[in-house]
């Protein structure tokens, strides 16, 4: 099955294509929470109705983000970076994968919690934000773990914090943002699987079953772990609702 990576506008361009696809189970999309959860609050208009255009199949995986600086940067901790930002308001730059992306909003959450200001420099992708840090075009960036880890291992960037609630087994020396003086801070990129609205329920159940099988394959687990990604059990929408009712003590 061909894969079409449709980037742009926080992923909403790709989701717009999915909204126009035939609901036959042959066209699906994997989208991060920046697309399916945050974009609706960021854009006055979207080319689809998020509540009606899609049939959610389930969650696939989640991954944290590393706060990265150049190895020659003067900051060896998030505390030091924030202190510099407070001493020099709106002078330190940070790269993101675009306005409204998770790497943009997660930094803004930190700045709001710390009462500091930095200058936002948007790029088009996480890979470009990593390059921006390595080439010292910007001072810092929040980079997806799957993108950051190879550059961390090669010494081309230095990670000073992790957005997850616990440290990563892939980089246990990197403290969390919460450990760095911001208790309660937690952020991750969560990937969901979607089909077009109108996709028959039996097809959604089959898609969820196949996705659950795929992310459970033993040969896939080392790859996910190497990228600091955690597989999430996939359930079709009706099963999710049924489970929620059971937990709440309601009828199935």
């Amino acid at each position: 099955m061909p894969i079409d990576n449709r980037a742009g506008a926080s992923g909403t361009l790709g989701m717009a294509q999915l909204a126009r696809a035939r609901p036959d189970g042959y066209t699906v999309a994997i989208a991060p929470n920046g697309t399916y959860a945050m974009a609706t609050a960021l854009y006055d208009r979207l080319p689809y109705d998020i509540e009606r255009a899609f049939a959610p199949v389930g969650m696939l995986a989640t991954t944290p983000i590393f706060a990265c600086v150049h190895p020659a940067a003067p900051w060896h901790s998030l505390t030091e970076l924030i202190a510099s930002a407070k001493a020099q308001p709106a002078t330190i730059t940070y790269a993101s994968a675009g306005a409204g992306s998770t790497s943009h909003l997660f930094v803004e959450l930190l700045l709001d919690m710390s009462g500091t200001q930095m200058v936002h420099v948007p790029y088009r992708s996480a890979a470009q934000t990593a390059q921006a840090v390595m080439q010292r075009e910007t001072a810092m960036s929040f980079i997806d773990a799957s993108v950051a880890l190879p550059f961390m291992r090669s010494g081309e960037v230095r990670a000073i914090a992790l957005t997850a609630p616990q440290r990563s087994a892939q980089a246990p020396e990197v403290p969390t943002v919460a450990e760095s003086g911001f208790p309660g801070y937690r952020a991750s990129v969560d990937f969901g699987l979607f089909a077009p609205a109108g996709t028959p329920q039996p097809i959604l159940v089959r898609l969820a079953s196949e996705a659950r099988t795929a992310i459970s394959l033993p040969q896939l687990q080392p790859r996910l772990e190497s990228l600091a990604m955690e597989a999430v059990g996939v359930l079709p929408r009706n099963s999710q609702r049924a489970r929620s009712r059971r937990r709440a003590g309601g009828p199935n």
Side-chain angles (χ1 to χ4, degrees):
M1 181 178 293
I3 298 174
D4 185 3
N5 183 18
R6 289 296 181 101
S10 297
T12 59
L13 297 183
M15 293 300 279
Q17 184 178 8
L18 179 67
R20 296 189 295 267
R22 293 179 59 184
D24 54 12
Y26 288 98
T27 302
V28 296
I30 297 175
N33 49 348
T35 298
Y36 64 78
M38 301 176 189
T40 55
L42 295 172
Y43 294 94
D44 292 331
R45 296 181 183 178
L46 289 174
Y48 50 78
D49 184 335
I50 190 67
E51 297 290 339
R52 300 181 179 180
F54 309 110
V57 177
M59 297 297 297
L60 293 176
T62 182
T63 184
I65 287 180
F66 285 98
C68 295
V69 299
H70 190 274
W75 314 292
H76 290 78
S77 69
L78 187 61
T79 303
E80 293 177 353
L81 175 62
I82 293 299
S84 292
K86 287 186 175 181
Q88 308 169 66
T91 59
I92 295 176
T93 58
Y94 76 90
S96 83
S101 65
T102 51
S103 55
H104 173 207
L105 298 180
F106 293 169
V107 173
E108 288 298 321
L109 174 61
L110 173 64
L111 297 180
D112 183 69
M113 291 178 67
S114 61
T116 55
Q117 298 178 29
M118 294 185 189
V119 179
H120 177 216
V121 183
Y123 288 79
R124 289 184 58 85
S125 68
Q128 288 182 345
T129 68
Q131 290 293 329
V133 172
M134 288 187 286
Q135 296 172 9
R136 308 195 79 169
E137 293 176 1
T138 61
M140 186 271 288
S141 181
F142 272 24
I143 306 173
D144 295 4
S146 60
V147 176
L149 281 168
F151 298 121
M152 291 164 54
R153 291 165 181 155
S154 65
E156 294 174 274
V157 302
R158 180 199 302 143
I160 57 175
L162 179 71
T163 65
Q166 293 88 29
R167 296 193 184 197
S168 170
Q170 300 302 318
E173 74 282 1
V174 180
T176 67
V177 174
E179 288 179 303
S180 303
F182 305 97
Y185 186 100
R186 175 178 181 175
S188 62
V189 179
D190 305 321
F191 297 94
L193 181 64
F194 297 84
T199 302
Q201 186 64 23
I203 293 179
L204 295 178
V205 172
R206 174 69 181 275
L207 287 171
S209 176
E210 295 295 335
R212 186 165 56 248
T213 298
I215 64 174
S216 301
L217 290 173
Q219 59 267 38
L220 182 61
Q221 300 310 307
R223 176 61 174 167
L224 291 175
E225 292 174 4
S226 70
L227 298 173
M229 298 186 74
E230 179 183 352
V232 179
V234 179
L235 288 172
R237 180 173 50 180
N238 283 6
S239 295
Q240 290 173 324
R241 290 174 176 173
R243 174 173 288 185
S244 296
R245 286 195 295 268
R246 285 196 295 271
R247 287 176 175 172
N252 292 338

